[in-house]
Amino acid sequence: MHAHDLANYYETPAVRDRIGEFLGGKPPTAAFLIAGDAAQFGKTPRPVSDLSACLQQGMEIARSLWDTDSLIAHLDIEYVNFDFPAQVYLHQERAFFIQAPVIAAVDRLLAASHIQPCTSLVDAAIITRGESSGTRLFSPS
């Protein structure tokens, strides 16, 4: 997608609302942004107040895990087969089936500490069907 197309996409009210959620709500609670294009993604933190300018330029946006209101942890649980790396692409359902007990164990351990995933039922269904990398977001309950 070209920057011009991305800038037009960002103008959609539903997209703007979702970006606001992504940044922690109103006011945003993300400590900073990283912005750039797919070929040259930025490495320098930018203030959240730069968001509108970045969107108008059609930049891709990433938020900091550092948040002014919550502790955000990113757990990336994924299947890796070092002997046969293509396995996950050739047998996707099997790869996600193998991950299911690990994700369930992580959920149980976090629940024991009163931490629950920040995912909707739709996200949970997508993860269960094997259409996600298994990335989950968690927050205090």
Side-chain angles (χ1 to χ4, degrees):
M1 187 176 282
H2 298 290
H4 180 317
D5 297 330
L6 200 51
N8 287 336
Y9 174 73
Y10 288 149
E11 290 299 318
T12 308
V15 172
R16 286 283 181 142
D17 289 346
R18 183 61 189 104
I19 291 170
E21 288 177 41
F22 173 67
L23 296 175
K26 293 182 182 181
T29 58
F32 60 86
L33 304 173
I34 301 290
D37 63 30
Q40 186 66 32
F41 207 72
K43 295 178 182 163
T44 304
R46 301 173 73 138
V48 177
S49 58
D50 284 358
L51 177 64
S52 288
C54 293
L55 297 179
Q56 288 171 355
Q57 294 173 41
M59 294 179 163
E60 296 199 25
I61 305 295
R63 65 155 290 154
S64 61
L65 289 179
W66 179 10
D67 192 272
T68 60
D69 190 47
S70 301
L71 174 63
I72 298 175
H74 174 90
L75 300 178
D76 188 0
I77 300 170
E78 58 187 80
Y79 173 84
V80 177
N81 185 328
F82 293 105
D83 296 325
F84 185 38
Q87 178 78 21
V88 70
Y89 301 105
L90 298 173
H91 304 285
Q92 294 174 7
E93 288 184 23
R94 179 180 179 276
F96 285 97
F97 179 77
I98 290 170
Q99 291 180 83
V102 176
I103 292 170
V106 169
D107 284 344
R108 283 192 304 275
L109 289 169
L110 292 168
S113 297
H114 307 287
I115 300 171
Q116 64 185 35
C118 290
T119 58
S120 69
L121 294 175
V122 172
D123 294 332
I126 289 170
I127 289 168
T128 305
R129 285 198 320 259
E131 296 176 10
S132 170
S133 69
T135 300
R136 305 285 297 274
L137 295 176
F138 298 89
S139 73
S141 58

